């Protein structure tokens, strides 16, 4: 058990979030897509129901 306010959960969450951002950046690397269009694409995927989100990310990768 960890002490209150130890920051363990926050650090894990930030590490996971950092990994997700890294994957998104790699997905769009060298595509020539503007930052704004990249953000719009990711936001669109995130707004989709959970059961289709992973499918759409895989499709984005295949279309690349």
């Amino acid at each position: 058990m960890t002490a209150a306010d130890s920051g363990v959960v926050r650090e894990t969450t930030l590490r996971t979030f950092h990994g997700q951002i890294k994957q998104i950046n790699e997905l769009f690397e060298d595509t020539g897509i503007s930052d704004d269009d990249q953000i719009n694409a990711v936001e669109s995927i995130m707004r989709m129901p959970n059961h289709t989100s992973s499918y759409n990310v895989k499709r984005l990768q295949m279309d690349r």
Side-chain angles (χ1 to χ4, degrees), residues 10-50:
R10 183 167 186 245
E11 288 174 17
T12 301
T13 302
L14 288 175
R15 201 172 18 237
T16 302
F17 187 64
H18 174 73
Q20 291 169 344
I21 296 298
K22 183 178 176 184
Q23 286 180 317
I24 290 169
N25 288 335
E26 288 172 358
L27 178 67
F28 289 108
E29 195 172 81
D30 299 325
T31 61
I33 300 173
S34 72
D35 289 346
D36 287 340
D37 287 341
Q38 291 177 31
I39 291 168
N40 287 334
V42 171
E43 286 178 344
S44 294
I45 292 169
M46 292 176 65
R47 286 189 191 108
M48 293 180 185
N50 286 334

